[in-house]
Amino acid sequence: MAKTSMSAVFRALLARGGVIVKPGAHNALSARIIEAAGFESIGVSGYAVSVTLLGKPDCGLVTLDEMVMMSRYIAGAVSIPAIADADTGHGNAINVMRTVEDFIRAGVAGIHIEDQVAPKRCGHVAGKQIIPIEEAVGKYRAAAKVRDELDPDFVLIARTDARGVAGGTVADTIERDRAYAD
């Protein structure tokens, strides 16, 4: 009997509806503690990985390879789905394609990609800037292409920081959300 992929498990959690709590892990041990505490999913926190791996803030210093490595260790240590922080996708649409492939091969259930410029700023600090909506849509389309080829259950989460930028409105956020969902 084939083993169910973690992406399929996470899709089932999403289909169930309701809130899914995914505490942030920074290494395999913290992931095992989260699982032992009874949580159904884990977030591979870019902030936590940056602080524990480099001792630096979450401002785009962790490389794709470092984040994928930690995600592989975390996903391999637990039997619940992990969703990884893929920052801005680590470049343009072509780079995003490699990013998605690497995270799928690492065994995580999905990733979230934000629409900030690179280098990015931590999501909860001031001074963020976002890329044009057309560029962001192109990155998410590229991500979906690779997902559909390698693991259609892999979850792509498009995150916008439109509300957090100077002058950003709720309407700007909704416009981007709709474009990204398409």
Side-chain angles (χ1 to χ4, degrees):
M1 177 160 75
K3 181 182 172 195
T4 303
S5 73
M6 283 296 114
S7 53
V9 170
F10 194 70
R11 287 263 179 202
L13 287 175
L14 290 170
R16 184 182 71 194
V19 174
I20 301 170
V21 178
K22 64 173 190 60
H26 61 278
N27 62 17
L29 177 58
S30 64
R32 293 191 66 159
I33 292 168
I34 290 166
E35 181 179 39
F39 291 97
E40 297 178 291
S41 67
I42 293 172
V44 182
S45 166
Y47 175 82
V49 169
S50 185
V51 169
T52 59
L53 187 64
L54 304 177
K56 307 267 185 198
D58 182 22
C59 57
L61 298 174
V62 174
T63 67
L64 171 62
D65 289 343
E66 290 168 330
M67 200 63 191
V68 168
M69 174 189 69
M70 295 308 297
S71 297
R72 181 178 298 109
Y73 294 156
I74 289 167
V78 295
S79 59
I80 58 176
I83 304 298
D85 182 353
D87 283 344
T88 63
H90 297 276
N92 64 21
I94 298 298
N95 301 109
V96 167
M97 294 174 81
R98 176 182 176 206
T99 296
V100 173
E101 181 177 350
D102 286 358
F103 277 108
I104 288 172
R105 295 195 192 290
V108 298
I111 57 174
H112 53 86
I113 300 174
E114 58 209 49
D115 60 0
Q116 286 192 43
V117 299
K120 61 158 278 194
R121 296 182 65 94
C122 186
H124 48 74
V125 298
K128 294 181 294 286
Q129 296 177 331
I130 54 176
I131 60 177
I133 192 169
E134 298 80 14
E135 182 181 349
V137 167
K139 289 169 85 168
Y140 297 131
R141 282 190 182 129
K145 180 182 185 314
V146 174
R147 184 248 348 250
D148 294 347
E149 291 172 359
L150 298 180
D151 179 1
D153 286 324
F154 189 75
V155 177
L156 295 173
I157 302 166
R159 189 186 104 191
T160 183
D161 284 304
R163 181 70 177 112
V165 300
T169 66
V170 172
D172 295 332
T173 301
I174 292 169
E175 176 188 12
R176 283 179 176 260
D177 289 343
R178 286 184 175 145
Y180 300 166
D182 289 341

